[in-house]
Amino acid sequence: MTKDIEEYLNADKVVKHPESAQTWNTKITHSGRWFKDEHGRTLMMRGINVCGSSKLPTSPYSGSTHLYDEVLFWDHRNVSFIGRPFPLEEAEEHLSRLKAWGLTLFRLLVTWESIEHSGPGQYDEEYIDYLRKLILLMPKYGIKCVIDPHQDTWSRFSGGSGAPGWTFEVAGMNIKNFKETGAAYVHNANAVPGDPLPMVWPTNYTKLASCTMFTLFFGGDTFAPKRTYQGKSVQQFLNDCFILAYQHLAERLKDLDAVLGFEFMNEPHPGYIGLKHLDEFDPIVNLVFGDSPSPLQCFALGEGIPQKVDVYVKSWPFPTKKSHDRIINSSCSSAWLDSACCVWKEHGVWKLDETKNEPVLVDTHYFSKHPATGKKVSFYDDFYVPLANRYAKTIQSVKQDWYCLVEPLANERAPIYKENDHHHNIVFSPHWYDLNCVFYKKFNGKVTHDVQCLQRGGNVFKATYFGKSGAKKNYRGQIKNIKEDGLRDMGEKPCILGEVGIPMDLNNKIAFKNNNYSNHIQFLDAILYALETNLVNFTLWNYDVCNDNEHGDHWNGENFSIYSVKKSREDDFDNTKKSTKEYLYDGGRVLEAVLRPYASKIAGTPVSSEFDLDKLSYTFSFIPFTSEEGFDLRNRNACTTEIFVPHFHFGGGPVSIQVNFGECDYNGDKQTLYHYYDPEEKSKDINRITITIVSLNNDTVKHTNNGKHEPSCNVM
């Protein structure tokens, strides 16, 4: 039976729909693994990380990591992050753009440094005032946000982002000597001619500064009980400062409806905790690249003892190989303050053989067991989860309804939550990247590799996939494993995949020259296909208003942003466009893959979701709710499913909509398809409802509206 959609538009039982599919102006709860709205509908949320440059201050000088000022860079107490992620006067343009793109769940980066840079307990109230003003704008656009205490390799001063500079002073470390001692590779200080290999920031996870700080933060009481600060153990001092800082932020934000919750810590690292021995780092687990001192060599270098270290370069089929060696720290500088010595020497992990004047290990297994009891330790079980429990309880003491997101390192297995752990409103929030493509910054669509399989003991033949369909199968399997890990190890909890994305400077940046992003589109389409077919909520990495082709996201050479200010200026050649839908696409990169239909509010339990970019066809199916399950099906909203249908692909042309049961109402202005089923009319034979949307004008690059086309709705 075929019915024109006008019948539904004119029927008495069709109501006005105040909200569009991609807006979240509702109280969000959950039942098991599914988020729910106020009508009990299942929610599938998509969003964006905002933004990469929020890792860096805006003053006293631009925080871009390729810039260096001998005085201002080290003045870490007198900085400001006001204007991160973007200036307030520009906020509404960016919020409206991201709403139009259907990315309305924000992972809002708020580093520890941004709120407590001046010193312990000294909070930047002006920056928090700025955050409040920004978040107050979000409900107008239907946006929810999660506060992300972002970090990478601990801090800006150890080559990443996150913690304030003064935290190193607490541990007794001298940040100005990290370069000379090889304790960290800091882009700002190392980005000068003649320095070692180009920046690959994750290598700092094997350097002294980052490893030491993470070990002290999570396990200082166990592995370094002698190291204290202001009458407390270093671990307790750092833990208290971190948690109290975000508790203070929570108190300042608790009246804002747009805040969905707080994350605990981005990609927490164990430091040295759990290392089986200290002779070398495992290249399967760690990125060994550039200057690659062993743990023992790191200790010695920090203590002022020069070392000949191996230097690794990119290779194939293994990611890296040794190229040569070189002497580090010929000046005999110390990574420790004058008032301190190496904390690991102090605790008997290593010593200096005075006869040979060489460092030697006293206990190579020191970090794999409890020093006092000899019991084997687990980073996640013994250190991470207990601190995450404390953090979540503290944040939820401010507002009980808030969610707390927890995660392992990117691409790692979920932490195991036991019965006595804190389970209230905990969300599993893993990260996933194609590490092979990200490291080499190459993708041609011909071959992809399953790094997850290799890390879990698989062989290279099993981990190799060919072609576009192979990439989709590869990624879909990896995401499935991560999702199932979370359900198994953490229980029936919701999952938001917190980071996923692709480098835009792939293949030697050729797309910046010829404007051909076909490989990027295929790459990201395969990834998003994997996410949608696994029915996973996610936030893309990332939307950065500072992005340009030369310096990318302005942080450590990364270039992931799906928006570029340079491209926006090129696109905005005609100011008259600002009154059109097309203006909101200006600056967008790889939007062909990013902007895709998705069912966001579902009157039932999702079963399958799949977008075919080549055919511009989206199919979604779900099992409708029943009154026996406790749902109030007299409420029309509870029986209405909303699907985001992006104008980018489906606007300006005819659209075919097919359903096997129910009514369709397509509103192009709201980019939303509303589907309603009457539970009283539903046959017992209908146990699954399937909706298919197809563009009949398959043109993925033209966005002009050449005439008004009414969609057809086929009820089969």
Side-chain angles (χ1 to χ4, degrees):
M1 178 175 62
T2 300
K3 297 182 181 180
D4 192 275
I5 191 125
E6 290 293 333
E7 290 185 32
Y8 299 120
L9 293 173
N10 297 327
D12 291 338
K13 59 184 177 181
V14 173
V15 297
K16 298 281 187 180
H17 300 286
E19 296 287 344
S20 53
Q22 74 273 36
T23 56
W24 310 112
N25 290 325
T26 178
K27 179 179 174 60
I28 295 178
T29 58
H30 75 284
S31 176
R33 69 180 68 181
W34 303 111
F35 285 110
K36 299 287 184 176
D37 72 359
E38 59 191 345
H39 306 296
R41 293 180 296 183
T42 304
L43 304 182
M44 295 296 298
M45 296 183 284
R46 297 188 181 185
I48 193 77
N49 280 265
V50 183
C51 65
S53 58
S54 292
K55 303 174 182 183
L56 308 168
T58 51
S59 65
Y61 77 111
S62 175
S64 301
T65 59
H66 63 277
L67 302 176
Y68 178 64
D69 184 291
E70 179 64 34
V71 176
L72 296 179
F73 177 71
W74 303 107
D75 188 14
H76 54 81
R77 292 178 182 264
N78 298 302
V79 297
S80 174
F81 285 71
I82 293 175
R84 300 294 194 201
F86 32 70
L88 282 177
E89 59 270 22
E90 300 174 7
E92 298 218 44
E93 176 185 338
H94 297 297
L95 298 180
S96 62
R97 176 178 292 114
L98 289 165
K99 177 186 176 183
W101 292 2
L103 302 174
T104 44
L105 175 62
F106 282 14
R107 185 170 179 253
L108 187 62
L109 276 68
V110 182
T111 65
W112 183 8
E113 180 187 15
S114 71
I115 56 177
E116 200 179 9
H117 49 79
S118 296
Q122 301 177 47
Y123 306 126
D124 190 335
E125 301 294 353
E126 292 183 357
Y127 178 61
I128 298 175
D129 289 342
Y130 157 82
L131 288 176
R132 281 187 54 84
K133 292 174 183 176
L134 175 64
I135 296 170
L136 279 168
L137 294 173
M138 292 182 182
K140 178 180 176 181
Y141 301 92
I143 292 169
K144 294 283 189 186
C145 72
V146 172
I147 304 301
D148 165 30
H150 203 89
Q151 73 78 33
D152 306 275
T153 69
W154 185 258
S155 168
R156 284 195 296 135
F157 302 95
S158 48
S161 66
W166 54 259
T167 59
F168 293 101
E169 299 170 11
V170 172
M173 302 195 81
N174 183 350
I175 59 176
K176 289 190 175 182
N177 285 350
F178 285 174
K179 176 181 177 180
E180 181 65 22
T181 60
Y185 190 111
V186 181
H187 196 195
N188 303 75
N190 287 74
V192 295
D195 268 0
L197 294 167
M199 175 69 181
V200 178
W201 65 264
T203 61
N204 282 305
Y205 282 122
T206 63
K207 302 294 194 294
L208 178 68
S210 175
C211 280
T212 294
M213 293 308 300
F214 277 114
T215 304
L216 294 176
F217 182 79
F218 283 109
D221 288 351
T222 300
F223 298 105
K226 298 177 184 177
R227 189 58 56 103
T228 61
Y229 187 80
Q230 293 186 2
K232 290 184 178 181
S233 69
V234 167
Q235 177 183 341
Q236 290 308 314
F237 189 89
L238 293 173
N239 290 174
D240 290 350
C241 286
F242 177 79
I243 291 175
L244 289 173
Y246 284 97
Q247 181 182 28
H248 177 78
L249 180 63
E251 290 283 359
R252 292 289 315 275
L253 304 182
K254 65 183 178 183
D255 61 318
L256 304 183
D257 292 337
V259 179
L260 183 62
F262 280 62
E263 195 168 314
F264 169 41
M265 176 183 283
N266 176 72
E267 298 179 4
H269 196 273
Y272 294 121
I273 298 173
L275 282 186
K276 294 180 181 179
H277 56 79
L278 301 172
D279 303 295
E280 63 180 359
F281 287 102
D282 183 354
I284 300 298
V285 178
N286 302 280
L287 177 59
V288 178
F289 181 70
D291 291 337
S292 303
S294 69
L296 176 60
Q297 287 182 313
C298 288
F299 302 153
L301 287 166
E303 191 72 355
I305 305 171
Q307 297 288 295
K308 180 187 289 186
V309 304
D310 295 339
V311 181
Y312 280 71
V313 296
K314 291 182 180 180
S315 68
W316 178 259
F318 299 102
T320 62
K321 66 178 181 180
K322 180 181 175 181
S323 169
H324 59 283
D325 52 42
R326 76 183 192 99
I327 301 294
I328 291 183
N329 199 11
S330 57
S331 66
C332 299
S333 301
S334 173
W336 302 95
L337 297 172
D338 293 341
S339 59
C341 65
C342 174
V343 64
W344 309 124
K345 185 179 181 183
E346 178 186 13
H347 285 82
V349 181
W350 70 283
K351 67 179 182 179
L352 183 66
D353 184 333
E354 296 183 358
T355 60
K356 297 181 180 180
N357 198 34
E358 293 179 355
V360 293
L361 288 168
V362 176
D363 186 354
T364 191
H365 307 296
Y366 184 79
F367 296 104
S368 65
K369 62 186 186 325
H370 194 293
T373 66
K375 182 181 177 182
K376 182 180 178 180
V377 297
S378 162
F379 169 67
Y380 288 113
D381 293 347
D382 299 326
F383 304 100
Y384 173 78
V385 173
L387 190 56
N389 288 339
R390 178 187 169 192
Y391 176 88
K393 290 176 182 178
T394 301
I395 295 298
Q396 290 171 354
S397 72
V398 177
K399 192 170 185 176
Q400 188 176 13
D401 293 340
W402 272 339
Y403 286 94
C404 185
L405 283 64
V406 298
E407 70 211 67
L409 273 171
N411 293 45
E412 284 199 357
R413 295 181 186 272
I416 296 174
Y417 266 58
K418 301 180 179 66
E419 182 179 354
N420 293 330
D421 289 316
H422 181 74
H423 291 267
H424 175 69
N425 281 7
I426 297 297
V427 174
F428 177 44
S429 188
H431 297 177
W432 180 88
Y433 292 94
D434 183 332
L435 296 178
N436 182 66
C437 292
V438 168
F439 179 63
Y440 291 105
K441 291 194 176 183
K442 293 184 182 298
F443 182 90
N444 59 19
K446 296 178 181 178
V447 181
T448 56
H449 298 282
D450 184 347
V451 177
Q452 180 189 89
C453 174
L454 296 173
Q455 289 178 329
R456 297 185 180 192
N459 62 62
V460 70
F461 299 104
K462 184 180 179 181
T464 302
Y465 294 80
F466 300 96
K468 180 188 297 187
S469 61
K472 288 185 174 181
K473 182 179 180 181
N474 176 8
Y475 299 155
R476 183 175 184 174
Q478 292 190 57
I479 299 300
K480 179 183 177 182
N481 290 339
I482 291 173
K483 179 181 177 181
E484 290 180 348
D485 286 347
L487 292 171
R488 182 193 64 238
D489 295 337
M490 296 186 62
E492 283 281 326
K493 292 179 172 57
C495 174
I496 300 175
L497 203 142
E499 283 187 27
V500 62
I502 67 169
M504 296 296 170
D505 52 349
L506 289 170
N507 306 330
N508 298 314
K509 305 182 181 181
I510 188 65
F512 297 162
K513 301 172 184 176
N514 63 16
N515 204 35
N516 182 352
Y517 285 83
S518 57
N519 282 323
H520 301 68
I521 293 167
Q522 183 179 336
F523 189 8
L524 190 56
D525 176 51
I527 290 173
L528 297 184
Y529 170 88
L531 293 166
E532 69 196 6
T533 53
N534 278 292
L535 303 173
V536 172
N537 307 285
F538 62 86
T539 50
L540 284 171
W541 184 269
N542 78 104
Y543 181 94
D544 198 312
V545 300
C546 297
N547 181 279
D548 57 48
N549 289 348
E550 184 178 2
H551 298 295
D553 301 335
H554 284 241
W555 182 82
N556 286 347
E558 285 198 347
N559 195 335
F560 282 76
S561 179
I562 62 172
Y563 172 85
S564 174
V565 66
K566 180 181 186 297
K567 189 174 185 302
S568 179
R569 290 166 183 159
E570 293 172 350
D571 292 340
D572 187 21
F573 58 87
D574 182 357
N575 284 331
T576 61
K577 287 176 60 182
K578 292 195 174 183
S579 61
T580 68
K581 292 184 177 73
E582 286 69 36
Y583 172 70
L584 292 173
Y585 302 132
D586 287 356
R589 301 198 288 191
V590 201
L591 295 186
E592 291 84 354
V594 172
L595 302 187
R596 49 210 297 126
Y598 68 96
S600 58
K601 304 164 188 173
I602 303 120
T605 302
V607 174
S608 64
S609 177
E610 182 174 347
F611 177 53
D612 187 322
L613 178 58
D614 295 328
K615 298 178 180 178
L616 290 187
S617 173
Y618 175 67
T619 300
F620 175 75
S621 66
F622 67 98
I623 299 172
F625 293 138
T626 65
S627 56
E628 287 79 8
E629 294 174 295
F631 293 95
D632 182 8
L633 301 183
R634 296 169 298 176
N635 177 355
R636 184 182 179 90
N637 286 318
C639 300
T640 300
T641 292
E642 299 179 19
I643 299 177
F644 174 69
V645 184
H647 175 83
F648 185 92
H649 287 306
F650 294 85
V655 177
S656 170
I657 302 166
Q658 296 181 335
V659 297
N660 66 332
F661 180 76
E663 306 171 359
C664 304
D665 180 356
Y666 174 57
N667 188 321
D669 289 337
K670 291 185 176 181
Q671 302 186 93
T672 300
L673 172 70
Y674 303 92
H675 170 269
Y676 169 76
Y677 71 90
D678 187 336
E680 295 183 1
E681 295 181 4
K682 185 174 78 67
S683 167
K684 291 183 179 179
D685 296 332
I686 302 293
N687 56 19
R688 180 182 298 188
I689 296 176
T690 300
I691 306 168
T692 300
I693 309 166
V694 182
S695 171
L696 301 181
N697 181 28
N698 193 341
D699 185 342
T700 63
V701 294
K702 292 182 180 178
H703 311 134
T704 56
N705 192 344
N706 296 319
K708 187 175 182 180
H709 301 271
E710 294 293 348
S712 63
C713 180
N714 297 323
V715 182
M716 298 175 293

